[in-house]
Amino acid sequence: MGLRSLLLSISIALVGNFSISQLCQPSRIITAVNGQLPGPTIYAREGDTVVVHLLNTSPYNMTIHWHGVLQRGTPWADGPVMVTQCPVRPGCNYTYRFNVDGQEGTLWWHAHISFHRATVYGALVIKPRGGAKAYPFPKPDKEHVVILGEWWNASVYDMERMAFLTGIPAPHADAYTINGKPGDFYNCSAANQTDVFDVRQNKTYLLRIINAGMNTPLFFKVANHQFTVVGADACYTKPYKTDVVVVSPGQTVDALMVANAAVRRYYMAASPYDSAIPRGPPFSDTTATAVVQYVGVQHTTARPVLPRRPAVNDTAIAHRFFSSMTALLLPGKPTVPLAVDTHMFVTVGLGVSDCRQEQLLCNRTAPPVFSSSINNASFVLPKDTSMLEAHFNNAAAGIYTRDFPDTPPVIFDYTGDESDNATMQYTTKSTKVKTLRYNTTVEMVLQNTRLIAKESHPMHIHGFNFFILAQDFGNYDKNTAARKFNLVDPQERNTVAVPTGGWAVIRFVADNPGMWYMHCHFDAHITLGLAMVFEVLDGPTPETSVPPPPADLPRC
């Protein structure tokens, strides 16, 4: 494989002395990559090999996940701590090597340990081999990376530790950000805390929109402008026109925007979509802004035009966006498999569990603490050996068990009031995997529950893209849902926002040997246990088997 990347190899330093001041707060130290927030954008072309040297000079254990990269033949480079690797300890290093065969579009990278993803993240842009002229849509005049995030004034590491020790969820973010900056509508706003995008009238811009936020789906708008969505999660879509883009944590959207408004300044805005009904966790009801500024605009003290913000609970807008995209069918690209080998029905949601022994500040005399689960199995990462190492060495005993259930243990009205029943809410901790033969086709129904609250959970699967056949509200009914399946041009993604109090059906082929994490991309829910792992067995050849680990793989 030729090394043809625009930025093939990049040295990453996770520095612990990057000082930043936002929201009237004194300067504080955050962990960031190369002293930047967001970190550097990595550019590659389809088919390239990417080499990234992680040098951990921070005081914390660290890993990097390459979100949406399929990692075919390179499972050791996927990055989730204790799933595919032990952490890179302070003062140590690890080199991630992977290729991006068959992938084009916008992906991203982020820390996959503790809550460090709040400040350790950046974009991964994969261009076609032929460059921008090879896009299957009109070539834009320019491209902009737009990374949406969340900001806490407190130390996110300390916050995660306290949430674990007490069993009390961490507080909501203090602000939302666009390219690391909160914008004009927060206290102590200044020019250097608002990002500015310069545009020329009647030119077309490709916006590569990423939700790197920890826990909040976001509405994204630009005043007086429309979008044409042409991609999602590095998969091309048929052109879809809209004035609002909705992105859940983990998701990316590629959208064309024509600068066809009057020559002046306009706000780009990101505001929360609160999907939880009736009593979800608290969230910041604020708006992050950046400025779209037309070249030639005269100096003015007038504020930019602000778009009308959707209501925070406008599930209709979110569902219309998420369910309206279809795949752009291109020669040589995967199509939805029609025969299914393994059917799974999995419930996802919040619940409660007993305090764990390690939760030293947990009130053991009070009612159970918040937890979360998939099919009533609340996931716990192993401590001493990564799951991929245990798999490769055929040493799963004591690390994980192969008994993840294909169906929930109790059938009930998943989205009805009866799920308030305390018995339904209770879950226990475990490290269970679902073992799949190589090349198995899996169809999975993801059913949200009303345990504690109805909520739109963004479910992400490492190592695979999947087809979203259908999605809707209420309890899944096989007979009526099957008539809604799109088996011709369903959208292909790596992260699906399962509708609030509803369900989604996904289908994928398990043709990538290894241990692949599936989890909610709300980081607060990952730590509560809303995760599981697919163990995909080796195929018949060396090329379809997990290779030996690299020599510099971190040790626990």
Side-chain angles (χ1 to χ4, degrees):
M1 178 69 64
L3 303 186
R4 302 181 302 276
S5 179
L6 301 176
L7 183 56
L8 177 66
S9 180
I10 180 171
S11 294
I12 292 186
L14 299 181
V15 297
N17 59 348
F18 176 41
S19 180
I20 188 170
S21 176
Q22 300 202 108
L23 306 184
C24 307
Q25 300 298 307
S27 293
R28 73 175 182 87
I29 305 300
I30 65 169
T31 301
V33 174
N34 291 358
Q36 299 174 227
L37 181 68
T41 296
I42 298 175
Y43 291 93
R45 285 182 290 187
E46 187 276 322
D48 279 348
T49 295
V50 179
V51 181
V52 180
H53 304 296
L54 170 60
L55 309 174
N56 187 8
T57 62
S58 83
Y60 306 110
N61 290 340
M62 193 59 58
T63 71
I64 298 292
H65 169 52
W66 311 94
H67 186 110
V69 174
L70 299 180
Q71 300 291 0
R72 296 189 182 279
T74 53
W76 303 99
D78 192 43
V81 69
M82 302 315 298
V83 178
T84 60
Q85 67 167 97
C86 299
V88 180
R89 299 193 180 281
C92 297
N93 59 80
Y94 180 47
T95 297
Y96 291 93
R97 292 181 175 85
F98 54 89
N99 61 51
V100 287
D101 288 338
Q103 295 192 267
E104 298 174 11
T106 305
L107 297 174
W108 62 299
W109 54 266
H110 59 81
H112 214 302
I113 182 172
S114 183
F115 279 0
H116 290 303
R117 181 165 73 81
T119 55
V120 179
Y121 61 85
L124 171 58
V125 174
I126 308 171
K127 300 282 188 75
R129 294 192 191 199
K133 65 180 182 294
Y135 289 143
F137 49 80
K139 180 183 175 182
D141 295 290
K142 195 171 182 180
E143 303 183 11
H144 291 295
V145 171
V146 183
I147 306 183
L148 313 179
E150 291 179 89
W151 171 264
W152 279 263
N153 290 326
S155 161
V156 292
Y157 175 82
D158 293 344
M159 185 173 64
E160 189 274 340
R161 290 307 303 158
M162 187 57 66
F164 172 76
L165 292 173
T166 61
I168 300 173
H172 64 73
D174 295 294
Y176 307 110
T177 59
I178 298 177
N179 287 346
K181 299 176 181 180
D184 291 349
F185 289 86
Y186 292 96
N187 290 335
C188 300
S189 296
N192 64 355
Q193 291 189 340
T194 302
D195 210 21
V196 177
F197 298 85
D198 289 321
V199 300
R200 293 184 180 273
Q201 195 170 39
N202 297 320
K203 298 296 184 180
T204 299
Y205 296 85
L206 176 60
L207 304 183
R208 298 183 177 274
I209 306 161
I210 301 166
N211 188 343
M214 297 280 282
N215 300 311
T216 309
L218 294 166
F219 295 114
F220 176 84
K221 301 189 76 172
V222 176
N224 292 11
H225 290 74
Q226 299 284 316
F227 306 112
T228 300
V229 174
V230 293
D233 293 359
C235 296
Y236 292 118
T237 66
K238 292 178 180 175
Y240 169 58
K241 295 185 181 299
T242 177
D243 68 342
V244 58
V245 168
V246 190
V247 273
S248 211
Q251 294 184 323
T252 74
V253 171
D254 289 340
L256 297 173
M257 183 187 79
V258 179
N260 55 5
V263 175
R264 60 175 302 176
R265 301 164 73 230
Y266 301 87
Y267 274 125
M268 172 186 291
S271 60
Y273 165 45
D274 176 34
S275 63
I277 303 171
R279 53 185 190 282
F283 67 98
S284 177
D285 189 4
T286 57
T287 301
T289 55
V291 174
V292 173
Q293 179 171 275
Y294 277 65
V295 173
V297 68
Q298 299 300 310
H299 176 73
T300 177
T301 58
R303 271 201 162 180
V305 179
L306 184 67
R308 182 178 180 182
R309 199 182 92 159
V312 296
N313 61 350
D314 199 331
T315 290
I317 284 181
H319 184 65
R320 182 165 60 249
F321 181 86
F322 287 136
S323 61
S324 293
M325 284 182 286
T326 53
L328 180 63
L329 300 179
L330 295 171
K333 294 296 183 180
T335 56
V336 60
L338 300 181
V340 176
D341 303 303
T342 297
H343 292 268
M344 300 179 69
F345 183 99
V346 301
T347 54
V348 296
L350 302 180
V352 296
S353 65
D354 291 333
C355 295
R356 294 169 58 188
Q357 184 176 358
E358 305 95 322
Q359 293 177 288
L360 302 180
L361 302 181
C362 196
N363 186 351
R364 287 169 170 77
T365 63
V369 296
F370 278 111
S371 194
S372 58
S373 66
I374 301 179
N375 274 357
N376 207 42
S378 189
F379 190 80
V380 178
L381 290 167
K383 296 179 181 178
D384 302 318
T385 303
S386 78
M387 299 177 74
L388 185 57
E389 288 177 274
H391 166 84
F392 181 79
N393 294 319
N394 195 26
I399 307 300
Y400 62 86
T401 58
R402 295 183 172 97
D403 56 346
F404 182 83
D406 287 348
T407 57
V410 177
I411 297 174
F412 61 101
D413 182 0
Y414 305 111
T415 59
D417 291 344
E418 75 172 77
S419 60
D420 279 338
N421 185 299
T423 301
M424 302 295 186
Q425 296 178 7
Y426 190 83
T427 184
T428 55
K429 301 293 182 177
S430 60
T431 308
K432 298 181 178 183
V433 310
K434 170 64 178 179
T435 302
L436 298 170
R437 298 188 313 277
Y438 176 77
N439 228 27
T440 295
T441 296
V442 180
E443 182 178 292
M444 177 185 292
V445 178
L446 292 162
Q447 172 71 62
N448 270 331
T449 68
R450 191 188 177 278
L451 302 176
I452 307 299
K454 295 179 183 178
E455 193 165 4
S456 174
H457 297 277
M459 299 301 298
H460 172 51
I461 303 182
H462 292 220
F464 300 98
N465 287 336
F466 48 77
F467 296 95
I468 304 174
L469 305 187
Q471 50 190 312
D472 210 339
F473 299 100
N475 294 326
Y476 175 79
D477 181 276
K478 180 179 178 180
N479 295 324
T480 57
R483 295 195 292 268
K484 302 177 183 178
F485 283 9
N486 180 353
L487 299 176
V488 177
D489 57 356
Q491 59 179 296
E492 188 179 2
R493 302 198 75 150
N494 62 57
T495 305
V496 57
V498 183
T500 299
W503 51 268
V505 180
I506 64 173
R507 194 177 288 184
F508 66 96
V509 179
D511 55 359
N512 196 7
M515 302 294 284
W516 304 110
Y517 212 10
M518 184 181 87
H519 59 84
C520 177
H521 224 275
F522 294 154
D523 272 38
H525 292 181
I526 300 177
T527 58
L528 291 173
L530 216 169
M532 56 85 67
V533 168
F534 286 106
E535 178 183 44
V536 181
L537 302 179
D538 287 349
T541 67
E543 292 75 23
T544 58
S545 302
V546 174
D552 64 340
L553 185 72
R555 313 311 307 172
C556 286

